[in-house]
Amino acid sequence: MSMPHAPCTWSTDIRIPSEYAAGKAVLQELLEQLSRAHWSEQEVHGVHLAVEEALTNAIRHGNRLDQAKQVHVICKLSADRLWIEIRDEGVGFDPGCLPDPTADENLETPCGRGVFLMRCFMSRVEYHDCGNRVVMEKHRDAKPA
């Protein structure tokens, strides 16, 4: 999944260390760009939650906080769409094996909530390779007349 046709108003292609502060800095820059592009508070909030979860998963679960490993982040923003790819250097996982966090028996279990939130707030979420690369897209809501 790529963003071939829409001209980008902002993009970044960065590798960050497996540190939460580095992920937070990338996320903050993205959120500032969305605000500058006049995305709604609701859209920015949803992207914030989804991207924060994806970055945290890559740093904590993918790279296991290993300082020798990096997280590769690519973002492309156009007037009406955000495309983001986050890749870690971990062994990956099968997102289809995550328990449903909304099932009664899993309500007290944190496993699977981050991926669930990503899917709720983004227009599309796909895992590639061995599960260590997630590609997400957010289509901007229609502007009010």
Side-chain angles (χ1 to χ4, degrees):
M1 168 178 34
S2 65
M3 194 166 143
H5 302 297
C8 291
T9 56
W10 174 80
S11 66
T12 190
D13 184 333
I14 188 170
R15 293 180 189 276
I16 61 170
S18 298
E19 299 172 354
Y20 295 125
K24 187 174 181 178
V26 171
L27 177 60
Q28 190 58 42
E29 175 65 19
L30 170 60
L31 298 177
E32 287 173 13
Q33 293 298 327
L34 291 173
S35 292
R36 284 186 193 134
H38 306 289
W39 284 48
S40 72
E41 283 185 39
Q42 183 177 354
E43 291 166 326
V44 173
H45 179 71
V47 168
H48 182 165
L49 289 174
V51 174
E52 184 174 53
E53 285 294 338
L55 286 167
T56 298
N57 286 348
I59 293 166
R60 179 189 305 154
H61 301 297
N63 288 350
R64 301 207 180 274
L65 297 168
D66 183 342
Q67 295 295 308
K69 295 182 178 180
Q70 294 184 324
V71 176
H72 187 190
V73 181
I74 304 171
C75 297
K76 296 177 183 179
L77 179 63
S78 73
D80 62 351
R81 189 163 50 147
L82 168 66
W83 181 92
I84 184 166
E85 176 180 306
I86 298 172
R87 179 189 315 236
D88 61 60
E89 296 179 16
V91 297
F93 78 112
D94 180 357
C97 291
L98 291 174
D100 177 359
T102 63
D104 288 341
E105 65 273 12
N106 298 326
L107 292 178
E108 301 294 322
T109 308
C111 186
R113 292 193 193 289
V115 173
F116 175 79
L117 285 173
M118 291 160 52
R119 289 182 171 143
C120 285
F121 289 110
M122 300 300 279
S123 304
R124 187 175 347 184
V125 176
E126 294 178 0
Y127 284 88
H128 298 274
D129 302 333
C130 59
N132 69 336
R133 179 169 66 103
V134 64
V135 177
M136 301 185 292
E137 235 180 338
K138 175 66 176 172
H139 298 249
R140 190 172 186 180
D141 295 336
K143 295 180 184 177

